[in-house]
Amino acid sequence: MEFRLLGAVAVATESGELPLGPAKRRSLLAALLLRPNTAVPLDQLIDALWPEGPPARARTVAQGHVSRLRALLAQGGADEWGVQLVTRGDAYVLEMPESLLDAHRFEELVRLARDQRTPDDAAALLREALALWRGPALVGVATGGALRVAADGLEEARISAVEQLARTYGEFGDHARAAALLHAEAVAHPMRETLAAALMRALYRAGRQSDAIDQYHRTRTLLADELGVDPGPALREAYAEILAGDETAEPGDAPVDRPVAAADGPDLLPRPPRGFVGRERELAAIGAAARREQAVVVITGPAGVGKTAAALRWAHAARDRYDGVLFADLRGFSEESGQETADVLREFLIALGVPARELPDTQSALAAAYRRRSEQHRYLVVLDNARTAAQVRPLLPAGPGSAALVTSRLRLDGLAVSELARTVDVGVLDSAASTALLAAATGGEDRLSAEPEAAARLTALCAGLPLALRVVAARAGARSPWPLTSLADELADEHRRLALLDLDDTGVSAALRLTLRTLPADARLLFHRLGRLPGPDLDRYAAAALTATSPADAATALDRLTAAHLLTEPSPGRYAMHDLVRLYARGLAADDDAADDGDGDGGGDGGATDTGDEALVRLLDHYVRTALRAAAVAEPDDRPCCVLPPDARPDLGGPPLPDRAGALRWYAAQRENLSAAAGAALAAGLDDRAWRLVVLQWPSIVGYVRDDWVPLLEQGLGAAVRLGDPDAEARLRALFGWVLTEEGRLAQALEHLELAPALAARAGDPSSEATALVNLAIALDRDGAPSTASLAHVARAAALARDADDVLTELLALEHRARQLLALADHDAVLACTDRGLALPGASAEGLAPLRQILLRVSRGAALLALGDTDEARACLREAHDDALRRGFEQGVREAKAQLTAADSRTATER
């Protein structure tokens, strides 16, 4: 067994990597592995899993991941390796030999390398250490907080080991090998001066003096462009050494030469942005893109995110590299009409020295004159607030070495096609940068440090949007005697937040309104409808349901909203909204509803032709219909647990669900949306949709039973009771009771399970009654040997399912009956029970049926073992184990392995 942090977080065993599952579980494992054999408090694990702040039920979810991880480790044979995940009060300890951890072995090998007497031995150990790395550290975990810090620390240790190996190569004269090693790292970390200095020395000693000097100048230029700093001592000293030993160097060369300022030329740049913070990544990306010949850089992002500030910041830092700087605000997203291209060309030509009386009349002649004037010079042109690529093209400078920065709320993909433009996305600020901007805009940190909790709330409510932070700072400045807490309390009210984030004609709502106004009607309609979206994200099929269009048309509208940065696409085909954008969309939806209630014209800017309530019903029915399909694909042997509502809206198309794995992936991706949809159905009084949206998640609930389903099940049961529908109530109580049983809450479970069978019988559904009876028996048997009542429940369940020709439910009953009979040591009856279950026809290759037959084989093997037929028992158990392993059925693997171990012990005892 090997635990891996140096690359993707993984646990390797002899039979392959353990299926760790979602990022949260990998994050939990990583947090434990970073402190092996040490108690890690649950609160610290929660911080690692949710660096942006935990949800309300974080402790329950984290404990569920611990339980699942413990089961996975047991499956991988952790006990054989001395590995245990144990609970210590409110903390967890991963007890393990640290030699099983790749990060520990890496540290040991690097330490041993330092103690070697010969460079050859040291190099061998260092190569072995670096070979443990399979990519960046901690891949697949949460991307912030303590785990990000740990990943950075591991990466720092790796680079130090690379530098140590390069020095070792140098000790036995292999400078070319050292240079090759360092060059790869210097490319990946271009602003790490110690790497650049080491590479320069290795290149020089390998006889590549010009390459060494070129490396210095490239690094020096990069530091100046991206960070506005001079080279540090390490880089200057390496340069001085090379110049001192390089016969081609001129006597007057100095290690810290600065680029010569360009001759005086036009400078139309506005003043630098005030209170600018952060954006190191974006500025570095702009600098890298602008170094190309005739570079065009499109700086794009949502309204109010700080695109113009980033462009101006970079332009002011880089202005000395150019013969002049031109700037124009194209006003593509303002209340006023946009700038005419011809007017901008006239302004540029006058700045370039053309007398006004000599300016051509037509736009094409102006563009030609601009090309001639710019083709012999290196100009930087900043075009702010562009709306179309056509607006931009005539204004691009023609000279080699020139560059254009274009800011826009749209992606302007046409420039990527025609001008090979590079795109730099400007996103929202993180919490640290948000706090820094708020401090700068309010005049210092004293006020924020006096009320740290209120300051943190303000930055969180602004969701990292610089425009919102500046408006909040202005309001805080206008209320200087008032505590920040009062402003935070006001801003926390979602109904007032956007109003508080507007000042005069500036603010979040105004910026979003202007962006939306530029879009075609289909995109505006979808945006209005997104105000009714109950969940955190959607795909094109949900968008089609909201707008009553085809998925293809909905995809086009989604792409338009994404290009305008009103939506993001955090994963392929899934779209989400920034918190403040979501509030704005909800406000539009409310306005539409008010218009519908008034005069029936809910169109507004969205051009809607039906009500928001109707759009919500379509969305709910889309989720119900797709969940029915997903359940049928995931569990093909099971009968549908419900049908569509009688008044279900027409099917507008749904996602492909090709197999069981695809169906289960859909459930996992849609869990929050389905839960939110059930809540929205309840709020709208649509109980007939609400209970279906809950019970249809049963394949996911069965697979992740301890994953905090109780609140959702309570909602579904409440809807079923209000409807007075015995079928719905029976199904919800049976499922709810089973979940409570698995959570160990037996008294509560029995409250539901004792009612469910009679409700199902009243509804006339024998399969539902059989399931309810089995679940009741499971609860009754949980604390002891089977009772007469529980045996009778299971026997009746098997008979009901058999009469209804329901294979899957009969297998469920037989599986539990076999366990009951084993507990009673009635081994011949176990064989008869499993004979029936294993002979049932019609079980599909996927779904629950083959898994239940695996568990029947395990029970059969245990009975055979008890009867003394060890060889047949072992064959039966081995078949069950191998089938479970092939299907990834962990419970089956675990139970079969336990019985095989018992068989081995019995054989050893008999010998």
Side-chain angles (χ1 to χ4, degrees), residues 77 94 105 113 115 126 134 146 192 210 215 269 303 403 494 506 549 640 668 708 729 796 836 884:
L94 189 56
R105 296 204 305 281
D115 298 335
L126 288 167
R134 295 162 291 107
R192 186 180 173 99
S210 62
Q215 178 66 35
L269 273 184
E494 288 192 352
T506 300
T549 57
D708 196 24
E729 187 177 347
R796 174 160 173 73
R836 165 67 187 173

Side-chain angles (χ1 to χ4, degrees), residues 506-576:
T506 300
V508 175
S509 294
L512 293 172
R513 183 180 69 254
L514 293 171
T515 302
L516 192 60
R517 195 179 67 180
T518 66
L519 299 177
D522 62 336
R524 295 200 308 274
L525 169 61
L526 176 56
F527 188 81
H528 280 240
R529 288 291 174 254
L530 290 177
R532 302 303 299 247
L533 183 69
D537 61 12
L538 80 166
D539 57 17
R540 60 190 175 118
Y541 304 102
L546 282 171
T547 53
T549 57
S550 69
D553 289 342
T556 300
L558 286 166
D559 285 343
R560 285 170 172 158
L561 291 173
T562 305
H565 294 91
L566 292 170
L567 293 179
T568 61
E569 192 175 4
S571 61
R574 303 205 64 78
Y575 301 86

Side-chain angles (χ1 to χ4, degrees), residues 24-36:
K24 290 285 187 289
R25 195 170 304 134
R26 292 175 186 271
S27 300
L28 183 137
L29 174 60
L32 292 168
L33 287 173
L34 287 166
R35 297 168 64 184

Side-chain angles (χ1 to χ4, degrees), residues 456-464 468 487-493 497 501 578-580 583:
R457 286 178 64 204
L458 286 173
T459 57
L461 290 167
C462 291
L487 181 56
D489 289 342
E490 286 186 275
L491 209 60
D493 182 353
R497 190 177 307 164
L501 293 178
H578 182 278
D579 288 349
L580 298 178
L583 286 180

